[in-house]
Amino acid sequence: MAFSLHSLRPKTYVARYPKWLVGRKLLYASSALASLGDAMFGYSQGVMASVQVQPSFLRRMYGVNVTMDQIASGQTGVDPFVQAITVACLNITAFIASIYAAGVCDVLGRRMSVRIGAFVYLVAAIIQIFAPNLAALIVGRCIQGIGVGFLSMTVPIIQSEIAPGHSRGLFVSIEYLCLNSGYALSAWVGYGFFHVMPSEISWRGPYILQSVLAVILFLWTFLLPETPRFLVKAGFYEEALQTLADLHSNGNIDNPEILKTFQEIVEAVELEKKIGGDATWKELFTKYTRQTIMGITSQMFSQLNGINAILYFLPTNLSRGGFDIPKSLLYSGICAIVYVLGTIPTMFLVDTWGRKPILLFGSVGTCICLSIVGGLQFYADSIPSTAEFMFKRLQAANGIFAFVCIYLFVFGFSWGPVPWLLPAEVFAMRARAKGMALATGSNWAWNFIIAFITPPLFDSIKGGYYFILAGLVIISFFLVLIVYRETAFKTLEELAEVFGEPAFAPVLMSVSKTGEVSVMGRRTSDDSSSGSDSGGSINEMKEKTRSHGGRDEPERTVGLGIILEDDSEESLDRAQNGERKSVEISLA
């Protein structure tokens, strides 16, 4: 399979986006492409939550005829393990697909990985629209999990690789905002379609919108660019430089910051080639141990901190607390909006406060909320379900609703977005796809466990389940405090130094006036006098710089972090001697 994938490696790259899109518009459109992928797997979470309280869905899928009152009281006759399998089957295939997607992402590119995910997601949505029984629905959800696995692994990588160096947190927070918006959209779509009961369009309708989103994402991947870092890795240097300029400087390849960033990307890729190309799975645990622990555990605790125990079964939990079904669906929509709003402060604070303080704050806040919700659930369960006690039950239900909203806001601010940011940025590029795959796989594995155990645990220990989740939150607090490293305030290439690793392999490059790039020398410990193995000796580089392609004009030469506009012996000797310093230049 690895051989067949490599045989499909792209041989050419053509930018298809229109010129009028170049600049900030292209950057935001590329971010929106990735964010739509997030919105789609957020939407898939919410759809199942809303349809499980609809009598027509329960009759079609589980063969039970129940009233709204029976659903509200939890007396549906549906086996909780069957319900758990129906919800959790998506997470198993998402786990498998997220691991496999690493190879696709490394070899075929980030854009192709999203395209595959969108196409598979579309096929799954169509199956679920026309599902005649539970078996067909489960098949559709299993296929959908493959699409979700590709999207959830690839999207954070795209966001981190196109974002400006010190704004990664903002862009990944936007990504999580869109994921939450997808969930909120599904909650309100489910609430709207609920009112066409008893028609089956009440639960088939949300899947129709799901298929529309998949079509938009699939078509969008043909228009927007590949990430500059993947293009450099694939050997498309000129295209990478132009794409970087199109994203961040209105297409101006003479921008000093663009040249500096491009130089860092090339040097990082050269270092990875020198080390041995893409990292192996074993190296993630031996060479990148701390990064792997951070990636896996951040995603693990994003699940163990209780979010999907609440979201997957939110209308059911609210009805268990004392609300009727229409009000449970309505309040689920309100909770979803609060969840979205919680992400907004993160967009402005994650790059200034840093990642660790936000996670620590989130652990404290979610622990308090889960404990209070658990206590209120015990109180609600102790109140008789008779008319004379209805007011007390509604008071308890209102309390549960209020603290679920606070929990969702705090989680949306902290343990929601940051665990998607960390694994996308802590790994070197040679390990980024596999590292993100492991982290995403951790998310989907624990997502499956939570989805599978939640119905029977709620059924058996009721409010006590919230206290188990609160205990896990306490563990996450001390893990972040002791093990995690702060990753804010650094570019992707500089982050290697945070973990005690070399960040760059110095190179000598020339960038012609027309934007042609030549990587003409990689300086290693034993080739400073004899030349390089990646494009010729230093002396050859000097000659090429003086006259490139028959032109007398000098090139912009980038050497060892120094950007030079002249072809003097002194300038090139400084590059050969390994100096790395910032210089101000004026590019004519």
Side-chain angles (χ1 to χ4, degrees), residues 560-576:
L560 300 173
I562 306 171
I563 303 174
L564 307 171
E565 183 66 17
D566 61 80
D567 61 348
S568 66
E569 294 284 338
E570 179 184 357
S571 296
L572 292 172
D573 287 341
R574 280 194 289 127
Q576 180 179 351

Side-chain angles (χ1 to χ4, degrees), residues 416-585:
V418 176
W420 289 105
L421 171 60
L422 287 177
E425 66 180 0
V426 296
F427 291 98
M429 186 173 176
R430 67 186 294 263
R432 190 169 298 145
K434 287 187 175 71
M436 191 69 208
L438 270 184
T440 308
S442 170
N443 176 283
W444 290 113
W446 288 101
N447 204 319
F448 166 78
I449 293 170
I450 292 296
F452 188 78
I453 67 174
T454 293
L457 280 178
F458 264 134
D459 193 52
S460 59
I461 64 175
K462 304 189 185 307
Y465 186 37
Y466 291 109
F467 289 99
I468 293 176
L469 297 173
L472 293 169
V473 172
I474 294 173
I475 296 174
S476 73
F477 177 90
F478 288 103
L479 179 72
V480 172
L481 186 66
I482 297 170
V483 176
Y484 284 24
R485 293 285 183 267
E486 182 55 67
T487 57
F489 324 119
K490 300 280 188 180
T491 67
L492 282 178
E493 284 67 40
E494 292 168 344
L495 271 177
E497 297 169 354
V498 173
F499 297 96
E501 299 166 4
F504 308 104
V507 298
L508 293 170
M509 300 190 311
S510 70
V511 183
S512 73
K513 291 286 188 181
T514 59
E516 296 177 358
V517 178
S518 297
V519 180
M520 294 183 293
R522 184 173 73 226
R523 181 183 180 277
T524 60
S525 58
D526 59 353
D527 67 8
S528 60
S529 61
S530 62
S532 154
D533 61 352
S534 63
S537 67
I538 298 295
N539 288 330
E540 288 173 345
M541 206 277 309
K542 294 178 183 178
E543 291 301 319
K544 290 180 181 179
T545 303
R546 291 195 179 92
S547 178
H548 182 74
R551 293 191 298 272
D552 294 329
E553 59 193 45
E555 296 179 349
R556 296 183 302 279
T557 301
V558 184
L560 300 173
I562 306 171
I563 303 174
L564 307 171
E565 183 66 17
D566 61 80
D567 61 348
S568 66
E569 294 284 338
E570 179 184 357
S571 296
L572 292 172
D573 287 341
R574 280 194 289 127
Q576 180 179 351
N577 290 334
E579 294 183 24
R580 294 186 60 87
K581 64 181 180 181
S582 298
V583 294
E584 292 187 4
I585 60 173

Side-chain angles (χ1 to χ4, degrees), residues 6 38 109 147 213 314 399 474 485 487:
H6 282 276
D38 278 296
L213 294 175
L314 185 54
I474 294 173
R485 293 285 183 267
T487 57

Side-chain angles (χ1 to χ4, degrees), residues 284-299:
L284 294 181
F285 296 95
T286 56
K287 183 176 177 59
Y288 303 103
T289 307
R290 188 181 294 271
Q291 295 96 311
T292 300
I293 291 173
M294 288 176 63
I296 289 177
T297 59
S298 64
Q299 288 285 7

Side-chain angles (χ1 to χ4, degrees), residues 39-214:
M40 284 167 56
F41 68 84
Y43 188 92
S44 68
Q45 286 179 311
V47 167
M48 280 304 293
S50 62
V51 300
Q52 289 183 98
V53 292
Q54 298 192 20
S56 61
F57 177 82
L58 297 177
R59 182 169 54 253
R60 169 66 68 176
M61 296 301 161
Y62 301 109
V64 295
N65 288 295
V66 291
T67 65
M68 303 285 277
D69 290 337
Q70 287 175 309
I71 295 174
S73 63
Q75 299 171 353
T76 61
V78 176
D79 187 333
F81 284 102
V82 175
Q83 184 186 35
I85 291 170
T86 305
V87 174
C89 62
L90 179 148
N91 303 322
I92 285 294
T93 52
F95 166 74
I96 297 170
S98 65
I99 299 297
Y100 178 79
V104 174
C105 198
D106 269 339
V107 176
L108 303 185
R110 284 58 165 138
R111 191 173 58 169
M112 179 58 74
S113 185
V114 171
R115 189 176 302 161
I116 292 170
F119 179 77
V120 173
Y121 196 103
L122 173 61
V123 171
I126 293 172
I127 292 173
Q128 290 171 92
I129 291 170
F130 298 104
N133 51 41
L134 183 61
L137 181 73
I138 290 176
V139 168
R141 283 184 60 76
C142 286
I143 294 174
Q144 186 178 21
I146 297 173
V148 167
F150 269 81
L151 294 175
S152 62
M153 197 287 295
T154 310
V155 163
I157 293 178
I158 292 177
Q159 292 283 27
S160 66
E161 290 188 348
I162 67 171
H166 299 293
S167 299
R168 287 189 312 277
L170 169 63
F171 276 73
V172 176
S173 296
I174 291 172
E175 166 198 337
Y176 195 74
L177 176 70
C178 291
L179 187 155
N180 291 353
S181 298
Y183 177 83
L185 177 64
S186 70
W188 286 103
V189 167
Y191 178 68
F193 274 102
F194 175 80
H195 291 89
V196 300
M197 289 278 295
S199 170
E200 288 194 346
I201 196 67
S202 63
W203 62 267
R204 296 187 191 272
Y207 291 114
I208 296 174
L209 180 58
Q210 198 173 57
S211 66
V212 173
L213 294 175

